[in-house]
Amino acid sequence: MRQKGRYSWAWLAGILEGEGYIGWQAKQRGGRAGVPRVTLQMCDQDIVQRARAIAPGSSTFAYQPKGEKKNGGPFKLTWIANWKGKNAVALLGRL
């Protein structure tokens, strides 16, 4: 499968529209001005990895939410890909 074909970018746009966040990360204490940020967060690791393959330049990590669901079970592990700064601008420009 061609990871960077036209349909791959269309797929990524749809995933980010439904499961993503596009915004501005505020200035950190003592740091520079804020930066653009694109985040994808979901339980499907393979989907997050595919998004990263299409648009490299993100940091990716797993997050285990604290607490329990109403039925007493634990929340599922989620996977997060973050594109910040120049990488976020490049991604948004391509979409």
Side-chain angles (χ1 to χ4, degrees):
M1 175 173 41
R2 289 182 3 193
Q3 289 293 328
K4 295 194 179 188
R6 177 176 58 173
Y7 297 112
S8 293
W9 285 99
W11 173 85
L12 180 57
I15 288 293
L16 288 173
E17 190 275 330
E19 302 289 333
Y21 164 80
I22 299 170
W24 190 260
Q25 182 171 334
K27 177 180 175 181
Q28 299 292 324
R29 188 181 312 169
R32 60 175 194 218
V35 295
R37 176 176 157 191
V38 178
T39 300
L40 173 63
Q41 180 173 352
M42 59 190 330
C43 295
D44 298 314
Q45 181 183 12
D46 58 325
I47 301 295
V48 175
Q49 288 175 336
R50 182 176 175 198
R52 261 190 97 198
I54 294 168
S58 73
S59 60
T60 304
F61 55 94
Y63 171 71
Q64 179 63 57
K66 294 183 175 27
E68 295 181 345
K69 296 187 231 177
K70 290 181 182 179
N71 68 4
F75 288 110
K76 287 184 175 181
L77 181 69
T78 61
W79 295 89
I80 302 170
N82 278 315
W83 292 266
K84 294 180 186 175
K86 292 178 186 176
N87 292 325
V89 171
L91 171 58
L92 293 172
R94 181 66 169 92
L95 294 176

